[in-house]
Amino acid sequence: MDNNEKDRMWMQQALTLARQGRYTARPNPCVGAVIVKNDRIVGSGWHQCTGEAHAEIHALQAAAGAAQGATCYVSLEPCAHYGHTPPCCEALVKAGISRVVVAMHDPNPKVNGQGILYLQNHGIEVKMGVLEAEARDLNRDFIKRIIYGKPWVSLKLGMTLDGKLSDFSGKSQWITGSCARLDVQALRARHAAIMSTATTVMADNARLTVRELPEDISVECQPKFKQPLRVLLDRTLKIGFNEIIFQQEGKTLIYTHHERVLEDREDLEIMPIAADNEGYLSIPAILEDLAQRQINSILIEAGGRFSGQMLQSNLVDEWIIYLSGKILGQQGQSAFYIDKALALSESLALKFKTIEFCGADIKIVASKEASI
């Protein structure tokens, strides 16, 4: 095995560790670190929670004196600024690390090359770009918020084989099976916020919470898990505040046009937001506001009308569709409600990324096709 192959092997270990922070590191990125000396790991760690030690610090603490002259593999550029914790690049220098292998630059303007420069100025050899694509994919939500000022947007749908979200009466429990429903719990847990409309929440008596922690969340991270922010779109503020969603752990944020003053509640915020050209709540303005609140990612769970609106708006980064074998016929409620009659040449297309079985259902992950 040559040195490049070894670098990829150890970086893969760092990325595996980094993934353990997917449920608790937000709004920080997921980062893993492995310290290697004489072809064996002497220390490793990952960033578990904002405000706590970064991956490199956990790895250095585990390595102790063995870090002298070792190589540190880290999935994101070591930080070079004082935040909740001191700079990791300084800790690497003090520990006597001789070489640092990094998957990708940190796009945060407070870092963005400064960590690499600090290491090089202190005589440490730095190698960049090892398994960069994997590292960027792991932190795609963090990258989007930092660079573009908007969160990563996923939209989840559970539908029948003929594209229906519910039957003629509006009943949707349960179109998909238990495996798909369990997978949705993990999907929710990976997002910083869950968004829906007041209409959908009232119709489904929805909670918009994670009710079962994912199987792959580490024992260390389980006590640190926090419920995603619940985001409601309610133009006229028609929702009743005795709904079950307001009885859940965590916070609910409502975007509205309505001016209404409520007594202070730590678990509820009502935010007036601008209207778009058609008088609806401006989704771009909402996304920008969420990014300013350090929300890296949102999962949308809503009805056919809003899903159709989001499909046409081109604001969704990824579609997660759970497809059952059931058929409800033409009286069922469509997954995508689009007012305009479209010719085949005008059709809106999704490009399939992955397709897999989820119990008796099929899980499709797709993105918007740029052109057809």
Side-chain angles (χ1 to χ4, degrees):
M1 184 181 294
D2 64 23
N3 289 334
N4 288 331
E5 291 175 325
K6 288 182 180 180
D7 285 345
R8 288 191 293 270
M9 179 184 70
W10 297 124
M11 185 60 76
Q12 192 65 66
Q13 297 269 9
L15 285 165
T16 298
L17 287 169
R19 290 187 185 95
Q20 296 194 57
R22 289 188 299 170
Y23 305 108
T24 55
R26 58 182 182 246
N28 285 358
C30 298
V31 186
V34 172
I35 297 175
V36 177
K37 191 172 187 178
N38 298 326
D39 289 333
R40 71 180 185 90
I41 295 176
V42 295
S44 63
W46 74 94
H47 181 49
Q48 298 179 15
C49 190
T50 297
E52 297 185 4
H54 289 186
E56 301 94 317
I57 304 305
H58 282 298
L60 288 171
Q61 289 172 346
Q68 182 74 36
T71 296
C72 180
Y73 294 85
V74 59
S75 60
L76 185 72
E77 176 183 0
C79 64
H81 67 288
Y82 283 86
H84 293 294
T85 58
C88 290
C89 57
E90 291 184 8
L92 292 169
V93 170
K94 290 178 181 178
I97 291 289
S98 62
R99 181 172 180 257
V100 176
V101 180
V102 182
M104 62 170 286
H105 280 99
D106 187 340
N108 188 335
K110 295 179 180 179
V111 186
N112 199 16
Q114 295 304 305
I116 302 302
L117 186 61
Y118 184 93
L119 295 173
Q120 291 173 331
N121 287 343
H122 286 79
I124 293 179
E125 178 191 347
V126 178
K127 181 178 180 179
M128 291 295 304
V130 177
L131 300 185
E132 181 176 1
E134 289 186 36
R136 293 183 67 84
D137 184 64
L138 176 62
N139 283 309
R140 60 190 186 179
D141 52 352
F142 173 77
I143 294 169
K144 186 181 177 188
R145 177 175 68 83
I146 293 296
I147 294 179
Y148 299 105
K150 292 181 181 178
W152 178 272
V153 180
S154 304
L155 194 149
K156 183 272 293 183
L157 291 167
M159 67 173 70
T160 62
L161 193 59
D162 57 342
K164 307 300 181 183
L165 293 179
S166 61
D167 65 17
F168 66 92
S169 68
K171 184 178 180 181
S172 60
Q173 296 181 336
W174 295 106
I175 281 179
T176 54
S178 58
C179 180
R181 296 197 296 274
L182 186 61
D183 195 66
V184 169
Q185 294 297 308
L187 185 64
R188 288 179 174 180
R190 288 197 294 272
H191 286 77
I194 303 172
M195 177 187 289
S196 190
T197 64
T199 300
T200 297
V201 167
M202 290 189 292
D204 295 345
N205 198 26
R207 292 178 172 86
L208 302 186
T209 56
V210 177
R211 293 186 288 280
E212 187 167 347
L213 289 179
E215 293 181 355
D216 61 341
I217 186 170
S218 68
V219 174
E220 296 94 331
C221 289
Q222 287 177 13
K224 301 173 184 180
F225 177 79
K226 295 179 181 178
Q227 287 289 342
L229 174 69
R230 296 182 291 275
V231 179
L232 285 187
L233 309 184
D234 190 356
R235 281 189 296 168
T236 60
L237 212 57
K238 62 185 176 183
I239 196 165
F241 291 101
N242 59 347
E243 295 279 349
I244 196 168
I245 191 172
F246 300 112
Q247 301 168 25
Q248 308 303 307
E249 175 188 351
K251 184 176 178 179
T252 304
L253 170 62
I254 301 177
Y255 289 103
T256 184
H257 290 164
H258 197 283
E259 294 290 344
R260 180 171 174 179
V261 178
L262 293 178
E263 58 184 67
D264 290 340
R265 286 178 55 172
E266 290 186 0
D267 64 335
L268 174 63
E269 180 182 353
I270 298 177
M271 177 72 180
I273 203 75
D276 61 19
N277 294 334
E278 298 179 358
Y280 294 106
L281 296 171
S282 172
I283 303 303
I286 288 171
L287 296 180
E288 289 174 8
D289 183 68
L290 288 170
Q292 290 174 7
R293 295 169 184 266
Q294 294 192 305
I295 297 297
N296 288 346
S297 60
I298 63 170
L299 175 65
I300 297 175
E301 299 188 31
R305 185 173 292 276
F306 190 65
S307 296
Q309 178 185 345
M310 293 302 292
L311 180 60
Q312 294 174 89
S313 70
N314 203 25
L315 293 173
V316 177
D317 295 295
E318 191 167 79
W319 298 77
I320 300 98
I321 299 169
Y322 297 90
L323 188 66
S324 80
K326 298 181 177 71
I327 295 175
L328 284 172
Q330 64 187 30
Q331 297 302 317
Q333 297 185 14
S334 295
F336 301 100
Y337 185 91
I338 298 172
D339 292 319
K340 180 183 177 183
L342 299 176
L344 187 59
S345 60
E346 301 172 302
S347 62
L348 304 172
L350 295 179
K351 181 180 180 181
F352 295 159
K353 295 169 68 176
T354 62
I355 302 174
E356 61 183 291
F357 279 105
C358 189
D361 304 311
I362 295 174
K363 179 182 178 182
I364 299 170
V365 178
S367 57
K368 182 74 180 290
E369 190 91 82
S371 60
I372 56 173

